[in-house]
Amino acid sequence: INFHLIILGESFKKKPPIFDVAKEKLHNNIIHWGYAPSRMTYYKFLTESDVIVSTALHEFFGLSVLEAIACGATPLLPYRLSYPELIPEKYHEKCFYHTDDQLIKMLTEILTNGCHPLPVNLHDVPLKLQWTHVIKKYDNAFLTM
């Protein structure tokens, strides 16, 4: 399957050996691997992405996934952590996997047939979490204490 790969994130001294194996095996497909040198470069990579895949066992509110969705990437996420709370339930079937085999099947489908069509408003999901939208909820919560 022909695809390009952008891996974004910091590299740490202690990392699973599979990352070195993947980097070696997929070197012809890699556009970028590692930390983006600037915020603008980071967003450039996100806007060039068709799909964001996460295999996270822990995350911090799913911020990087939300950023990618806001930039137009279709999410393919494990059904765990905070992810199910971030995506409207009507999109769960198309955005979530439960097993590694299901991830492989869904990703293969996307890579061979293109991203499944999702409504544009899925890309608006992160917008409702912006500070300008939630500040009134916080103000009301504090006022009612």
Side-chain angles (χ1 to χ4, degrees):
I1 299 172
N2 186 24
F3 66 95
H4 298 312
L5 185 62
I6 299 170
I7 302 290
L8 290 170
E10 287 187 67
S11 295
F12 298 98
K13 288 181 182 179
K14 186 176 180 181
K15 63 184 177 210
I18 192 67
F19 282 99
D20 291 330
V21 173
K23 191 173 184 180
E24 182 181 323
K25 284 188 173 190
L26 300 171
H27 73 274
N28 290 330
N29 303 79
I30 297 170
I31 293 173
H32 178 83
W33 188 286
Y35 196 75
S38 71
R39 205 75 180 138
M40 290 306 295
T41 303
Y42 174 74
Y43 287 123
K44 176 184 172 291
F45 285 134
L46 291 183
T47 58
E48 292 174 357
S49 300
D50 294 318
V51 63
I52 178 165
V53 177
S54 174
T55 59
L57 297 174
H58 65 85
E59 44 78 27
F60 300 99
F61 184 65
L63 186 58
S64 59
V65 167
L66 288 171
E67 289 174 324
I69 292 170
C71 289
T74 297
L76 187 50
L77 311 168
Y79 193 82
R80 59 179 174 255
L81 309 170
S82 68
Y83 297 140
E85 299 169 36
L86 300 176
I87 306 294
E89 192 170 336
K90 61 185 171 183
Y91 305 126
H92 281 198
E93 185 179 322
K94 293 185 177 188
C95 297
F96 290 104
Y97 64 89
H98 295 274
T99 65
D100 291 346
D101 288 340
Q102 191 178 16
L103 166 61
I104 292 167
K105 181 179 177 185
M106 292 172 79
L107 186 55
T108 301
E109 176 70 22
I110 288 171
L111 293 175
T112 55
N113 298 320
C115 289
H116 43 76
L118 290 175
V120 174
N121 62 353
L122 178 64
H123 304 299
D124 292 338
V125 165
L127 299 178
K128 70 180 180 186
L129 300 171
Q130 287 182 338
W131 182 248
T132 55
H133 292 97
V134 298
I135 191 170
K136 289 179 184 176
K137 291 180 184 178
Y138 280 98
D139 285 347
N140 289 336
F142 289 129
L143 290 173
T144 59
M145 293 178 98

